[in-house]
Amino acid sequence: FLKQANQDSFGSLAAMLLGDFGFTLALALAGVFSYGTYRYALKALGDMAVDAMLVMKEDNVMEFCKSDLTPPNMIENIWWPGCFETGSMAALNDTCTLPCYRSEILQKMHAQRQKLGWKKVFYSSRAADGIETVKLGGWWLPAKDPNAPRIVVQHGFTSNSNKFRTQLMSEMLRALGYSVLLNNLRGHCF
């Protein structure tokens, strides 16, 4: 049943976002599976959540942290749902598919990145008793107007500033006229 459901766009999106257990849970809540299956899925999801939240995997937090990756070349060199890693903006037209991103969205983001400036910035973490002060880094992505309001976009626990969610959010905010700081948490990326 799951393979058949994955053939439609809702099934593919749910399976991608939630994984097989999450998709099973969604089907159980919709009354497709029994209460026993629901309980099994709920326990499995709980165990997975504990592992995902308490174990920081180096591969996840350092993904797309290559030294030659900068805002102007990032869009074509990171993974986008439905697009994969292409290495070129021209290839995005051929590889991006629904339900996630149309290549036109990424093309507009790329054009905006080429037009507006960017800077890799470093700063010290806050000083606190018993906690080591470290150098943190991020991307400063200014708006066209130097007096524009500023917003900090923070990635999640097992992510970094170079992943698609933070990159997409930063360019949406810049398109609205905001300057954006994409910050990296301690031990994440650069």
Side-chain angles (χ1 to χ4, degrees):
F1 176 78
L2 186 59
K3 286 184 180 178
Q4 182 180 3
N6 277 338
Q7 291 175 358
D8 74 322
S9 61
F10 170 76
S12 297
L13 183 59
M16 182 183 70
L17 295 176
L18 302 174
D20 287 341
F21 285 114
F23 188 63
T24 303
L25 177 61
L27 292 174
L29 292 173
V32 175
F33 290 130
S34 70
Y35 181 70
T37 304
Y38 165 76
R39 287 189 53 186
Y40 169 75
L42 191 59
K43 177 170 179 0
L45 280 172
D47 293 345
M48 289 169 48
V50 168
D51 287 344
M53 290 305 295
L54 299 179
V55 178
M56 185 165 52
K57 296 177 181 140
E58 185 78 12
D59 290 348
N60 290 347
V61 299
M62 298 306 287
E63 186 177 28
F64 306 119
C65 293
K66 304 171 209 157
S67 62
D68 61 339
L69 203 57
T70 62
N73 70 7
M74 194 166 304
I75 292 170
E76 65 266 28
N77 287 298
I78 65 173
W79 178 82
W80 293 90
C83 298
F84 311 103
E85 294 172 55
T86 64
S88 77
M89 289 305 295
L92 286 175
N93 288 329
D94 298 330
T95 62
C96 289
T97 60
L98 293 175
C100 292
Y101 294 100
R102 293 189 328 265
S103 62
E104 299 85 43
I105 293 170
L106 301 179
Q107 297 287 348
K108 286 179 183 177
M109 288 174 55
H110 181 73
Q112 181 170 279
R113 287 266 169 105
Q114 304 308 310
K115 191 167 63 172
L116 299 175
W118 62 275
K119 184 177 182 180
K120 193 175 200 177
V121 294
F122 294 95
Y123 34 89
S124 295
S125 62
R126 276 191 283 185
D129 290 337
I131 299 176
E132 177 187 6
T133 302
V134 296
K135 183 170 72 168
L136 301 173
W139 298 112
W140 173 243
L141 304 169
K144 188 176 182 178
D145 178 3
N147 297 315
R150 299 169 182 171
I151 294 181
V152 176
V153 173
Q154 184 61 60
H155 63 76
F157 176 63
T158 61
S159 190
N160 64 58
S161 65
N162 290 356
K163 296 225 181 155
F164 80 92
R165 287 181 183 95
T166 51
Q167 292 297 314
L168 178 64
M169 181 60 65
S170 71
E171 290 309 314
M172 291 171 76
L173 290 166
R174 285 176 96 186
L176 293 172
Y178 293 95
S179 291
V180 179
L181 173 64
L182 290 178
N183 182 56
N184 280 305
L185 294 174
R186 177 188 304 249
H188 292 66
C189 214
F190 54 88

